[in-house]
Amino acid sequence: MKYFSIHLYRKMLNCAIGEGMSRDDFMNLPTPINAIDGLQVISADEFLALHELLDDKLGPGFGVRVGQQMKIEDYGVLGLSWRTCSRVGEIFERSERYFKLLSNTFMWHVEVEGNLSHVHLNREAKRRGMELSTEASLSATVVVLQAMSEKDIAPIKVAFKHGPPKDLTSYTAAFNCPIEFYAPHYAITYETADLQLRTAKADSSINNYLLMQVDEKTKGIKIPGNRFVQDVEALIKDGLPTGIPSIQNISSLLAMSNRTLTRRLADAGVTYRDLIKKTQEHIAKTLLQDHNNSVGEIAFLTGFSEQSAFNRAFKKWTDQTPSEFRSKH
């Protein structure tokens, strides 16, 4: 492990100030509070040392309390991708892809066991700061999943590999479920049905489209071909951070067969493969013009599992490398 997002470092500092510390308390850090603007990452050593410092200063459970205050936008590009998930549990698939591509911070893995899904956070806690950071991550999971679903879904159980703190008040308030310490894995368990829920955004957009389909079938109001293509493009864009969506995935979202989807696209003069390429290229060109996005992040948002594969594809599309394109825009 080498680094963490500066968004998470900033969040810890702001939460500590909210609990009574002052900006002056953070002026002598290796990366002081007044030097974080413009940074994208912070070293793992500094990040974990801050967790340890604040747990000592503000008492057991500070990391858990930080997790409870996390918002989706605090996760930067990864959080941006969460907003377009079609179902709640998809955030773990996107997180796994993101960290494989851009970091070696940690890895999520969902193990489905009947009506329960165990969400493992595979981390080796070689120091106390890592234990505290893991507590923050699992605590944040609770509030992020509720925000994604806009429903009061709650975990069934949470497990930590390390031992319990002296005071469990923050833990019981955050998780409101049985908590296991000295467990074999870091994990948080949900009902499988809760992770299969439509996200609030997906539920709204898909329902609107299905209502249009009802009008088409019952009232003869034909959905224009260009509108249909735009809707498919939007679904492809939303799905790319999980990987290139299959035609089966998109057709199921639209409540139609693969054959019907293919025919409707053909009527509009395009193929599904055309739309994948067009959407990827458009997203890539747009994001490359914003220099706040790294090429690795753009590769993630356009569905690639490796930055090198993205570079090759972009060169094929434009006869330029991503860096060459960016330098001209």
Side-chain angles (χ1 to χ4, degrees):
M1 181 183 320
K2 297 179 180 178
Y3 58 84
F4 282 80
S5 167
I6 198 67
H7 300 294
L8 304 181
Y9 186 79
R10 180 184 286 110
K11 189 73 174 187
M12 277 201 290
L13 295 174
N14 289 339
C15 288
I17 290 170
E19 291 196 13
M21 298 185 72
S22 72
R23 287 180 63 89
D24 290 342
D25 293 323
F26 305 117
M27 295 302 289
N28 293 322
L29 295 174
T31 302
I33 192 170
N34 63 347
I36 60 178
D37 289 342
L39 297 179
Q40 290 189 330
V41 296
I42 191 79
S43 76
D45 283 341
E46 288 186 54
F47 182 83
L48 300 179
L50 182 62
H51 256 300
E52 292 161 356
L53 171 68
L54 296 180
D55 193 69
D56 289 337
K57 293 282 187 182
L58 298 170
F62 175 76
V64 171
R65 297 193 296 276
V66 169
Q68 289 293 288
Q69 295 186 47
M70 292 299 293
K71 301 184 185 304
I72 292 176
E73 52 267 26
D74 292 324
Y75 291 90
V77 165
L78 178 59
L80 175 68
S81 81
W82 289 344
R83 291 192 180 280
T84 60
C85 288
S86 61
R87 54 187 173 77
V88 172
E90 195 175 346
I91 72 168
F92 301 112
E93 297 170 37
R94 296 193 174 189
S95 298
E96 183 175 359
R97 286 193 69 251
Y98 181 88
F99 288 113
K100 276 184 176 178
L101 183 61
L102 291 163
S103 174
N104 56 352
T105 305
F106 52 81
M107 186 69 69
W108 294 100
H109 171 69
V110 181
E111 177 190 1
V112 179
E113 187 179 17
N115 64 341
L116 296 180
S117 288
H118 310 289
V119 183
H120 296 283
L121 182 52
N122 296 322
R123 266 181 167 176
E124 288 302 321
K126 296 180 180 179
R127 59 184 287 183
R128 188 165 66 95
M130 184 61 76
E131 296 174 355
L132 300 171
S133 175
T134 300
E135 292 179 351
S137 296
L138 292 177
S139 173
T141 297
V142 177
V143 294
V144 168
L145 294 193
Q146 289 177 348
M148 292 287 293
S149 64
E150 294 187 1
K151 299 182 184 297
D152 192 26
I153 60 176
I156 304 299
K157 176 184 175 182
V158 64
F160 298 104
K161 292 172 70 173
H162 56 269
K166 295 179 180 179
D167 184 352
L168 284 173
T169 302
S170 296
Y171 298 76
T172 54
F175 296 109
N176 195 30
C177 68
I179 303 172
E180 179 184 0
F181 291 96
Y182 297 120
H185 306 283
Y186 289 113
I188 188 165
T189 298
Y190 277 88
E191 291 186 3
T192 300
D194 284 343
L195 297 189
Q196 293 298 324
L197 288 171
R198 286 259 186 237
T199 62
K201 175 189 178 299
D203 194 49
S204 174
S205 60
I206 297 301
N207 281 345
N208 287 339
Y209 184 80
L210 294 179
L211 286 174
M212 287 193 297
Q213 278 197 304
V214 169
D215 285 343
E216 187 175 64
K217 292 177 180 178
T218 61
K219 303 176 184 178
I221 303 174
K222 182 75 173 178
I223 302 173
N226 63 335
R227 172 60 190 273
F228 180 76
V229 170
Q230 290 170 4
D231 287 336
V232 175
E233 287 177 330
L235 290 174
I236 290 171
K237 178 181 177 181
D238 287 351
L240 281 171
T242 309
I244 296 175
S246 67
I247 192 169
Q248 290 88 349
N249 176 257
I250 299 300
S251 60
S252 67
L253 289 174
L254 294 172
M256 61 177 59
S257 68
N258 297 351
R259 180 177 295 182
T260 299
L261 173 57
T262 300
R263 176 179 56 77
R264 293 290 296 266
L265 292 176
D267 290 343
V270 296
T271 68
Y272 184 70
R273 182 172 293 184
D274 290 336
L275 288 189
I276 293 286
K277 174 185 170 296
K278 177 184 175 184
T279 305
Q280 287 179 304
E281 184 176 349
H282 176 73
I283 294 170
K285 287 179 175 178
T286 301
L287 293 178
L288 281 167
Q289 294 177 62
D290 181 351
H291 289 241
N292 290 320
N293 300 309
S294 73
V295 174
E297 288 172 330
I298 296 170
F300 164 70
L301 292 173
T302 49
F304 290 88
S305 57
E306 295 180 356
Q307 185 175 323
S308 59
F310 169 70
N311 291 342
R312 290 193 297 271
F314 193 85
K315 176 78 170 178
K316 184 176 180 180
W317 298 334
T318 66
D319 202 30
Q320 301 175 79
T321 67
S323 298
E324 289 169 343
F325 180 89
R326 169 167 276 174
S327 68
K328 296 176 182 177
H329 296 81

mmCIF file of all heavy atoms in Angstrom, residues 91-126:
data_model
loop_
_atom_site.group_PDB
_atom_site.id
_atom_site.type_symbol
_atom_site.label_atom_id
_atom_site.label_comp_id
_atom_site.label_asym_id
_atom_site.label_seq_id
_atom_site.Cartn_x
_atom_site.Cartn_y
_atom_site.Cartn_z
ATOM 1 N N ILE A 91 -21.922 -1.165 -5.912
ATOM 2 C CA ILE A 91 -20.820 -0.300 -5.489
ATOM 3 C C ILE A 91 -19.583 -1.115 -5.132
ATOM 4 O O ILE A 91 -18.455 -0.641 -5.291
ATOM 5 C CB ILE A 91 -21.201 0.626 -4.316
ATOM 6 C CG1 ILE A 91 -21.347 -0.122 -3.001
ATOM 7 C CG2 ILE A 91 -22.448 1.428 -4.614
ATOM 8 C CD1 ILE A 91 -21.423 0.796 -1.800
ATOM 9 N N PHE A 92 -19.767 -2.350 -4.670
ATOM 10 C CA PHE A 92 -18.611 -3.169 -4.302
ATOM 11 C C PHE A 92 -17.880 -3.677 -5.545
ATOM 12 O O PHE A 92 -16.653 -3.777 -5.553
ATOM 13 C CB PHE A 92 -19.044 -4.319 -3.392
ATOM 14 C CG PHE A 92 -19.703 -3.846 -2.129
ATOM 15 C CD1 PHE A 92 -21.043 -4.073 -1.890
ATOM 16 C CD2 PHE A 92 -18.973 -3.132 -1.179
ATOM 17 C CE1 PHE A 92 -21.651 -3.615 -0.737
ATOM 18 C CE2 PHE A 92 -19.574 -2.671 -0.021
ATOM 19 C CZ PHE A 92 -20.919 -2.916 0.199
ATOM 20 N N GLU A 93 -18.637 -3.986 -6.598
ATOM 21 C CA GLU A 93 -18.007 -4.389 -7.858
ATOM 22 C C GLU A 93 -17.194 -3.226 -8.423
ATOM 23 O O GLU A 93 -16.074 -3.414 -8.910
ATOM 24 C CB GLU A 93 -19.077 -4.828 -8.856
ATOM 25 C CG GLU A 93 -19.874 -6.053 -8.422
ATOM 26 C CD GLU A 93 -21.073 -6.292 -9.318
ATOM 27 O OE1 GLU A 93 -20.954 -6.065 -10.547
ATOM 28 O OE2 GLU A 93 -22.141 -6.692 -8.808
ATOM 29 N N ARG A 94 -17.752 -2.027 -8.358
ATOM 30 C CA ARG A 94 -17.046 -0.857 -8.888
ATOM 31 C C ARG A 94 -15.829 -0.527 -8.029
ATOM 32 O O ARG A 94 -14.783 -0.144 -8.556
ATOM 33 C CB ARG A 94 -17.998 0.336 -8.974
ATOM 34 C CG ARG A 94 -19.110 0.089 -9.952
ATOM 35 C CD ARG A 94 -19.898 1.313 -10.330
ATOM 36 N NE ARG A 94 -20.848 0.968 -11.386
ATOM 37 C CZ ARG A 94 -21.570 1.833 -12.070
ATOM 38 N NH1 ARG A 94 -21.446 3.138 -11.811
ATOM 39 N NH2 ARG A 94 -22.390 1.431 -13.016
ATOM 40 N N SER A 95 -15.959 -0.679 -6.733
ATOM 41 C CA SER A 95 -14.822 -0.424 -5.844
ATOM 42 C C SER A 95 -13.698 -1.410 -6.127
ATOM 43 O O SER A 95 -12.519 -1.036 -6.158
ATOM 44 C CB SER A 95 -15.254 -0.521 -4.380
ATOM 45 O OG SER A 95 -16.233 0.455 -4.081
ATOM 46 N N GLU A 96 -14.058 -2.674 -6.359
ATOM 47 C CA GLU A 96 -13.039 -3.685 -6.643
ATOM 48 C C GLU A 96 -12.288 -3.337 -7.927
ATOM 49 O O GLU A 96 -11.059 -3.399 -7.979
ATOM 50 C CB GLU A 96 -13.692 -5.062 -6.759
ATOM 51 C CG GLU A 96 -12.691 -6.186 -6.990
ATOM 52 C CD GLU A 96 -13.340 -7.562 -6.981
ATOM 53 O OE1 GLU A 96 -14.568 -7.642 -6.773
ATOM 54 O OE2 GLU A 96 -12.613 -8.535 -7.189
ATOM 55 N N ARG A 97 -13.031 -2.943 -8.974
ATOM 56 C CA ARG A 97 -12.387 -2.548 -10.237
ATOM 57 C C ARG A 97 -11.495 -1.324 -10.037
ATOM 58 O O ARG A 97 -10.379 -1.252 -10.564
ATOM 59 C CB ARG A 97 -13.431 -2.224 -11.303
ATOM 60 C CG ARG A 97 -14.138 -3.408 -11.911
ATOM 61 C CD ARG A 97 -14.919 -2.997 -13.160
ATOM 62 N NE ARG A 97 -13.997 -2.646 -14.232
ATOM 63 C CZ ARG A 97 -13.784 -1.412 -14.680
ATOM 64 N NH1 ARG A 97 -14.418 -0.386 -14.143
ATOM 65 N NH2 ARG A 97 -12.943 -1.189 -15.654
ATOM 66 N N TYR A 98 -11.991 -0.356 -9.295
ATOM 67 C CA TYR A 98 -11.258 0.896 -9.091
ATOM 68 C C TYR A 98 -9.920 0.635 -8.405
ATOM 69 O O TYR A 98 -8.880 1.123 -8.842
ATOM 70 C CB TYR A 98 -12.105 1.841 -8.242
ATOM 71 C CG TYR A 98 -11.465 3.186 -7.966
ATOM 72 C CD1 TYR A 98 -11.638 4.241 -8.847
ATOM 73 C CD2 TYR A 98 -10.714 3.402 -6.818
ATOM 74 C CE1 TYR A 98 -11.060 5.482 -8.597
ATOM 75 C CE2 TYR A 98 -10.130 4.627 -6.561
ATOM 76 C CZ TYR A 98 -10.322 5.665 -7.453
ATOM 77 O OH TYR A 98 -9.738 6.883 -7.202
ATOM 78 N N PHE A 99 -9.946 -0.145 -7.339
ATOM 79 C CA PHE A 99 -8.717 -0.366 -6.587
ATOM 80 C C PHE A 99 -7.748 -1.293 -7.319
ATOM 81 O O PHE A 99 -6.536 -1.160 -7.171
ATOM 82 C CB PHE A 99 -9.039 -0.870 -5.182
ATOM 83 C CG PHE A 99 -9.622 0.207 -4.316
ATOM 84 C CD1 PHE A 99 -10.937 0.147 -3.890
ATOM 85 C CD2 PHE A 99 -8.861 1.301 -3.948
ATOM 86 C CE1 PHE A 99 -11.478 1.148 -3.107
ATOM 87 C CE2 PHE A 99 -9.398 2.309 -3.166
ATOM 88 C CZ PHE A 99 -10.708 2.241 -2.742
ATOM 89 N N LYS A 100 -8.268 -2.211 -8.120
ATOM 90 C CA LYS A 100 -7.378 -3.029 -8.941
ATOM 91 C C LYS A 100 -6.633 -2.168 -9.946
ATOM 92 O O LYS A 100 -5.467 -2.394 -10.257
ATOM 93 C CB LYS A 100 -8.181 -4.102 -9.685
ATOM 94 C CG LYS A 100 -8.469 -5.355 -8.881
ATOM 95 C CD LYS A 100 -9.170 -6.379 -9.754
ATOM 96 C CE LYS A 100 -9.392 -7.684 -8.998
ATOM 97 N NZ LYS A 100 -10.117 -8.668 -9.834
ATOM 98 N N LEU A 101 -7.325 -1.155 -10.485
ATOM 99 C CA LEU A 101 -6.764 -0.332 -11.543
ATOM 100 C C LEU A 101 -5.894 0.797 -11.021
ATOM 101 O O LEU A 101 -4.869 1.130 -11.608
ATOM 102 C CB LEU A 101 -7.914 0.253 -12.383
ATOM 103 C CG LEU A 101 -7.562 1.104 -13.604
ATOM 104 C CD1 LEU A 101 -6.765 0.279 -14.609
ATOM 105 C CD2 LEU A 101 -8.833 1.616 -14.257
ATOM 106 N N LEU A 102 -6.304 1.378 -9.880
ATOM 107 C CA LEU A 102 -5.689 2.633 -9.457
ATOM 108 C C LEU A 102 -4.948 2.588 -8.134
ATOM 109 O O LEU A 102 -4.248 3.528 -7.786
ATOM 110 C CB LEU A 102 -6.775 3.721 -9.370
ATOM 111 C CG LEU A 102 -7.342 4.137 -10.726
ATOM 112 C CD1 LEU A 102 -8.648 4.881 -10.544
ATOM 113 C CD2 LEU A 102 -6.352 5.011 -11.458
ATOM 114 N N SER A 103 -5.088 1.544 -7.369
ATOM 115 C CA SER A 103 -4.466 1.540 -6.051
ATOM 116 C C SER A 103 -4.366 0.107 -5.557
ATOM 117 O O SER A 103 -4.965 -0.795 -6.108
ATOM 118 C CB SER A 103 -5.309 2.375 -5.070
ATOM 119 O OG SER A 103 -4.814 2.272 -3.764
ATOM 120 N N ASN A 104 -3.592 -0.076 -4.505
ATOM 121 C CA ASN A 104 -3.580 -1.372 -3.831
ATOM 122 C C ASN A 104 -3.989 -1.190 -2.374
ATOM 123 O O ASN A 104 -3.515 -1.851 -1.489
ATOM 124 C CB ASN A 104 -2.194 -2.029 -3.920
ATOM 125 C CG ASN A 104 -1.104 -1.123 -3.345
ATOM 126 O OD1 ASN A 104 -1.352 0.035 -3.024
ATOM 127 N ND2 ASN A 104 0.096 -1.647 -3.223
ATOM 128 N N THR A 105 -4.912 -0.233 -2.164
ATOM 129 C CA THR A 105 -5.301 0.123 -0.802
ATOM 130 C C THR A 105 -6.030 -1.024 -0.100
ATOM 131 O O THR A 105 -5.683 -1.415 0.991
ATOM 132 C CB THR A 105 -6.202 1.367 -0.818
ATOM 133 O OG1 THR A 105 -5.518 2.409 -1.515
ATOM 134 C CG2 THR A 105 -6.508 1.832 0.580
ATOM 135 N N PHE A 106 -7.065 -1.548 -0.756
ATOM 136 C CA PHE A 106 -7.778 -2.695 -0.190
ATOM 137 C C PHE A 106 -8.697 -3.287 -1.246
ATOM 138 O O PHE A 106 -8.795 -2.763 -2.354
ATOM 139 C CB PHE A 106 -8.569 -2.334 1.073
ATOM 140 C CG PHE A 106 -9.486 -1.157 0.943
ATOM 141 C CD1 PHE A 106 -10.733 -1.286 0.370
ATOM 142 C CD2 PHE A 106 -9.112 0.089 1.424
ATOM 143 C CE1 PHE A 106 -11.587 -0.201 0.262
ATOM 144 C CE2 PHE A 106 -9.958 1.182 1.324
ATOM 145 C CZ PHE A 106 -11.201 1.033 0.745
ATOM 146 N N MET A 107 -9.347 -4.349 -0.891
ATOM 147 C CA MET A 107 -10.183 -5.049 -1.866
ATOM 148 C C MET A 107 -11.495 -5.488 -1.214
ATOM 149 O O MET A 107 -11.499 -6.069 -0.132
ATOM 150 C CB MET A 107 -9.441 -6.286 -2.378
ATOM 151 C CG MET A 107 -10.160 -7.005 -3.491
ATOM 152 S SD MET A 107 -10.167 -6.046 -5.003
ATOM 153 C CE MET A 107 -8.420 -6.152 -5.427
ATOM 154 N N TRP A 108 -12.598 -5.172 -1.885
ATOM 155 C CA TRP A 108 -13.895 -5.656 -1.449
ATOM 156 C C TRP A 108 -14.220 -6.963 -2.157
ATOM 157 O O TRP A 108 -13.862 -7.161 -3.314
ATOM 158 C CB TRP A 108 -14.992 -4.641 -1.797
ATOM 159 C CG TRP A 108 -14.921 -3.342 -1.076
ATOM 160 C CD1 TRP A 108 -14.412 -2.167 -1.547
ATOM 161 C CD2 TRP A 108 -15.394 -3.058 0.245
ATOM 162 N NE1 TRP A 108 -14.540 -1.175 -0.603
ATOM 163 C CE2 TRP A 108 -15.145 -1.692 0.508
ATOM 164 C CE3 TRP A 108 -16.008 -3.831 1.237
ATOM 165 C CZ2 TRP A 108 -15.486 -1.090 1.712
ATOM 166 C CZ3 TRP A 108 -16.358 -3.221 2.435
ATOM 167 C CH2 TRP A 108 -16.092 -1.872 2.656
ATOM 168 N N HIS A 109 -14.926 -7.838 -1.471
ATOM 169 C CA HIS A 109 -15.367 -9.097 -2.079
ATOM 170 C C HIS A 109 -16.679 -9.494 -1.421
ATOM 171 O O HIS A 109 -16.784 -9.537 -0.190
ATOM 172 C CB HIS A 109 -14.327 -10.200 -1.880
ATOM 173 C CG HIS A 109 -14.813 -11.552 -2.298
ATOM 174 N ND1 HIS A 109 -15.050 -11.891 -3.615
ATOM 175 C CD2 HIS A 109 -15.137 -12.652 -1.558
ATOM 176 C CE1 HIS A 109 -15.492 -13.126 -3.671
ATOM 177 N NE2 HIS A 109 -15.553 -13.614 -2.447
ATOM 178 N N VAL A 110 -17.684 -9.770 -2.244
ATOM 179 C CA VAL A 110 -19.004 -10.144 -1.725
ATOM 180 C C VAL A 110 -19.188 -11.650 -1.837
ATOM 181 O O VAL A 110 -19.074 -12.232 -2.916
ATOM 182 C CB VAL A 110 -20.125 -9.422 -2.490
ATOM 183 C CG1 VAL A 110 -21.486 -9.816 -1.918
ATOM 184 C CG2 VAL A 110 -19.933 -7.899 -2.420
ATOM 185 N N GLU A 111 -19.458 -12.283 -0.714
ATOM 186 C CA GLU A 111 -19.737 -13.724 -0.656
ATOM 187 C C GLU A 111 -21.221 -13.909 -0.344
ATOM 188 O O GLU A 111 -21.689 -13.556 0.738
ATOM 189 C CB GLU A 111 -18.887 -14.388 0.432
ATOM 190 C CG GLU A 111 -19.157 -15.869 0.603
ATOM 191 C CD GLU A 111 -18.496 -16.450 1.844
ATOM 192 O OE1 GLU A 111 -17.841 -15.693 2.600
ATOM 193 O OE2 GLU A 111 -18.633 -17.669 2.066
ATOM 194 N N VAL A 112 -21.951 -14.430 -1.313
ATOM 195 C CA VAL A 112 -23.394 -14.633 -1.144
ATOM 196 C C VAL A 112 -23.636 -16.012 -0.554
ATOM 197 O O VAL A 112 -23.166 -17.024 -1.071
ATOM 198 C CB VAL A 112 -24.132 -14.490 -2.493
ATOM 199 C CG1 VAL A 112 -25.635 -14.724 -2.294
ATOM 200 C CG2 VAL A 112 -23.876 -13.116 -3.097
ATOM 201 N N GLU A 113 -24.367 -16.035 0.544
ATOM 202 C CA GLU A 113 -24.705 -17.278 1.239
ATOM 203 C C GLU A 113 -26.211 -17.282 1.485
ATOM 204 O O GLU A 113 -26.692 -16.889 2.549
ATOM 205 C CB GLU A 113 -23.935 -17.385 2.554
ATOM 206 C CG GLU A 113 -24.084 -18.713 3.257
ATOM 207 C CD GLU A 113 -23.287 -18.775 4.553
ATOM 208 O OE1 GLU A 113 -22.876 -17.713 5.072
ATOM 209 O OE2 GLU A 113 -23.074 -19.890 5.042
ATOM 210 N N GLY A 114 -26.942 -17.698 0.452
ATOM 211 C CA GLY A 114 -28.392 -17.710 0.564
ATOM 212 C C GLY A 114 -28.959 -16.311 0.690
ATOM 213 O O GLY A 114 -28.698 -15.434 -0.138
ATOM 214 N N ASN A 115 -29.736 -16.089 1.739
ATOM 215 C CA ASN A 115 -30.371 -14.777 1.904
ATOM 216 C C ASN A 115 -29.465 -13.757 2.582
ATOM 217 O O ASN A 115 -29.879 -12.634 2.846
ATOM 218 C CB ASN A 115 -31.672 -14.924 2.707
ATOM 219 C CG ASN A 115 -31.424 -15.417 4.125
ATOM 220 O OD1 ASN A 115 -30.369 -15.966 4.423
ATOM 221 N ND2 ASN A 115 -32.399 -15.221 5.001
ATOM 222 N N LEU A 116 -28.201 -14.162 2.856
ATOM 223 C CA LEU A 116 -27.237 -13.233 3.450
ATOM 224 C C LEU A 116 -26.053 -13.028 2.509
ATOM 225 O O LEU A 116 -25.619 -13.964 1.827
ATOM 226 C CB LEU A 116 -26.733 -13.747 4.796
ATOM 227 C CG LEU A 116 -27.756 -13.890 5.918
ATOM 228 C CD1 LEU A 116 -27.076 -14.413 7.187
ATOM 229 C CD2 LEU A 116 -28.449 -12.555 6.199
ATOM 230 N N SER A 117 -25.543 -11.810 2.472
ATOM 231 C CA SER A 117 -24.353 -11.494 1.683
ATOM 232 C C SER A 117 -23.298 -10.912 2.619
ATOM 233 O O SER A 117 -23.539 -9.905 3.293
ATOM 234 C CB SER A 117 -24.687 -10.485 0.583
ATOM 235 O OG SER A 117 -25.450 -11.081 -0.442
ATOM 236 N N HIS A 118 -22.133 -11.573 2.644
ATOM 237 C CA HIS A 118 -21.033 -11.133 3.495
ATOM 238 C C HIS A 118 -20.073 -10.298 2.641
ATOM 239 O O HIS A 118 -19.468 -10.811 1.694
ATOM 240 C CB HIS A 118 -20.304 -12.334 4.095
ATOM 241 C CG HIS A 118 -21.221 -13.327 4.744
ATOM 242 N ND1 HIS A 118 -21.879 -13.069 5.933
ATOM 243 C CD2 HIS A 118 -21.615 -14.571 4.359
ATOM 244 C CE1 HIS A 118 -22.615 -14.113 6.265
ATOM 245 N NE2 HIS A 118 -22.473 -15.034 5.321
ATOM 246 N N VAL A 119 -19.951 -9.038 2.985
ATOM 247 C CA VAL A 119 -19.082 -8.135 2.235
ATOM 248 C C VAL A 119 -17.744 -8.083 2.953
ATOM 249 O O VAL A 119 -17.613 -7.472 4.012
ATOM 250 C CB VAL A 119 -19.701 -6.726 2.133
ATOM 251 C CG1 VAL A 119 -18.813 -5.831 1.274
ATOM 252 C CG2 VAL A 119 -21.109 -6.793 1.559
ATOM 253 N N HIS A 120 -16.742 -8.756 2.386
ATOM 254 C CA HIS A 120 -15.423 -8.832 3.002
ATOM 255 C C HIS A 120 -14.565 -7.653 2.566
ATOM 256 O O HIS A 120 -14.572 -7.263 1.398
ATOM 257 C CB HIS A 120 -14.720 -10.135 2.612
ATOM 258 C CG HIS A 120 -15.401 -11.365 3.119
ATOM 259 N ND1 HIS A 120 -15.315 -11.776 4.426
ATOM 260 C CD2 HIS A 120 -16.190 -12.267 2.493
ATOM 261 C CE1 HIS A 120 -16.015 -12.879 4.585
ATOM 262 N NE2 HIS A 120 -16.557 -13.200 3.425
ATOM 263 N N LEU A 121 -13.836 -7.107 3.501
ATOM 264 C CA LEU A 121 -12.854 -6.077 3.210
ATOM 265 C C LEU A 121 -11.487 -6.698 3.469
ATOM 266 O O LEU A 121 -11.074 -6.879 4.610
ATOM 267 C CB LEU A 121 -13.077 -4.861 4.114
ATOM 268 C CG LEU A 121 -12.170 -3.656 3.912
ATOM 269 C CD1 LEU A 121 -12.139 -3.218 2.458
ATOM 270 C CD2 LEU A 121 -12.632 -2.491 4.781
ATOM 271 N N ASN A 122 -10.832 -7.099 2.394
ATOM 272 C CA ASN A 122 -9.576 -7.831 2.514
ATOM 273 C C ASN A 122 -8.420 -6.867 2.737
ATOM 274 O O ASN A 122 -7.923 -6.239 1.807
ATOM 275 C CB ASN A 122 -9.342 -8.677 1.255
ATOM 276 C CG ASN A 122 -10.408 -9.742 1.096
ATOM 277 O OD1 ASN A 122 -10.848 -10.329 2.077
ATOM 278 N ND2 ASN A 122 -10.846 -9.976 -0.119
ATOM 279 N N ARG A 123 -8.004 -6.771 3.978
ATOM 280 C CA ARG A 123 -6.919 -5.885 4.388
ATOM 281 C C ARG A 123 -6.068 -6.576 5.431
ATOM 282 O O ARG A 123 -6.595 -7.258 6.301
ATOM 283 C CB ARG A 123 -7.477 -4.608 5.022
ATOM 284 C CG ARG A 123 -7.660 -3.431 4.102
ATOM 285 C CD ARG A 123 -8.185 -2.264 4.907
ATOM 286 N NE ARG A 123 -8.114 -1.031 4.172
ATOM 287 C CZ ARG A 123 -8.589 0.125 4.624
ATOM 288 N NH1 ARG A 123 -9.183 0.171 5.800
ATOM 289 N NH2 ARG A 123 -8.483 1.218 3.911
ATOM 290 N N GLU A 124 -4.786 -6.361 5.353
ATOM 291 C CA GLU A 124 -3.893 -6.828 6.400
ATOM 292 C C GLU A 124 -3.588 -5.659 7.326
ATOM 293 O O GLU A 124 -2.932 -4.693 6.921
ATOM 294 C CB GLU A 124 -2.599 -7.385 5.798
ATOM 295 C CG GLU A 124 -2.780 -8.723 5.085
ATOM 296 C CD GLU A 124 -3.334 -9.805 5.997
ATOM 297 O OE1 GLU A 124 -2.934 -9.851 7.184
ATOM 298 O OE2 GLU A 124 -4.173 -10.588 5.538
ATOM 299 N N ALA A 125 -4.096 -5.721 8.533
ATOM 300 C CA ALA A 125 -3.921 -4.628 9.492
ATOM 301 C C ALA A 125 -2.584 -4.792 10.215
ATOM 302 O O ALA A 125 -2.506 -5.382 11.292
ATOM 303 C CB ALA A 125 -5.079 -4.597 10.478
ATOM 304 N N LYS A 126 -1.532 -4.274 9.609
ATOM 305 C CA LYS A 126 -0.200 -4.433 10.185
ATOM 306 C C LYS A 126 0.137 -3.340 11.193
ATOM 307 O O LYS A 126 1.192 -3.360 11.808
ATOM 308 C CB LYS A 126 0.838 -4.443 9.057
ATOM 309 C CG LYS A 126 0.676 -5.619 8.113
ATOM 310 C CD LYS A 126 1.704 -5.600 7.004
ATOM 311 C CE LYS A 126 1.516 -6.804 6.075
ATOM 312 N NZ LYS A 126 2.489 -6.803 4.952
#
